Amino acid sequence: MATATATTYFTTSRVDGHTDGFMPPRAPTQVGHYEDAFLKVDGLWLLRSRSALLAFAGPTERLEPADKP
């Protein structure tokens, strides 16, 4: 039985409420990684387990719609 592992790093940038075109980049909301384990069954690689580990997680920035004063 074959097994494999992988580590995937991610950065999430997010702003809620923006409705007026392109948004300039903001600071990351989350930074972390996944640790995955795979198992090969009948020639197919299946995800056996996934752990998400956050090095940093902050609040999501919320903007008011552009048409409100």
Side-chain angles (χ1 to χ4, degrees):
M1 187 176 327
T3 61
T5 60
T7 302
T8 305
Y9 295 90
F10 63 85
T11 301
T12 304
S13 296
R14 178 177 170 160
V15 176
D16 286 347
H18 181 74
T19 59
D20 193 30
F22 179 75
M23 169 61 76
R26 298 291 216 242
T29 303
Q30 297 178 333
V31 175
H33 69 278
Y34 296 112
E35 292 179 358
D36 296 332
F38 300 91
L39 179 65
K40 193 172 187 179
V41 177
D42 297 329
L44 297 174
W45 284 101
L46 304 175
L47 181 63
R48 183 175 186 177
S49 66
R50 170 172 273 182
S51 298
L53 298 119
L54 290 174
F56 168 82
T60 298
E61 183 179 0
R62 174 96 183 141
L63 300 178
E64 293 300 321
D67 61 350
K68 286 193 175 184

